[in-house]
Amino acid sequence: LLTNAHSVAHATQVRVKRRGDDKSFAARVLTIGAQCDCALLAVDDEDFWTVDGTVRDVQPLKLGRLPRLEDAVAVVGYPVGGDTLSVTRGVVSRIEITP
């Protein structure tokens, strides 16, 4: 699972939920990329990956090129304090590369 690094960077325990499901599952942090604010998680519990005993048809995310200035982008996530999916749309207005 791909998430934000800032949401797991200092966590002693990480739990995830599937959308529309109240059950949470333990997740392991595989790696954190603080510079890009991304983290990769693994969920070992097979129940996370199944629905009614059948393995869900989950496909890996295919990443494309990085956005460029003025490209249209959409960000999907669960903001702090919210329990529903949020989608924010906009354009890339600045790209800053720091050492």
Side-chain angles (χ1 to χ4, degrees):
L1 302 176
L2 183 65
T3 190
N4 295 107
H6 71 265
S7 65
V8 298
H10 303 289
T12 57
Q13 173 179 232
V14 177
R15 299 195 66 80
V16 296
K17 292 181 183 180
R18 295 185 304 203
R19 185 171 186 215
D21 192 344
D22 289 332
K23 183 178 179 184
S24 66
F25 299 85
R28 292 182 294 114
V29 178
L30 297 176
T31 190
I32 293 177
Q35 298 83 0
C36 59
D37 194 29
C38 290
L40 191 60
L41 309 178
V43 179
D44 296 324
D45 189 333
E46 289 298 320
D47 288 345
F48 181 79
W49 305 104
T50 61
V51 175
D52 298 327
T54 303
V55 175
R56 299 172 68 201
D57 184 23
V58 179
Q59 300 296 318
L61 178 65
K62 293 180 182 175
L63 299 177
R65 68 170 177 76
L66 292 175
R68 297 182 183 118
L69 280 175
E70 299 183 8
D71 277 356
V73 293
V75 180
V76 180
Y78 290 87
V80 173
D83 58 0
T84 59
L85 193 62
S86 173
V87 179
T88 302
R89 297 179 195 282
V91 297
V92 176
S93 58
R94 181 172 83 184
I95 296 175
E96 185 175 318
I97 300 173
T98 56

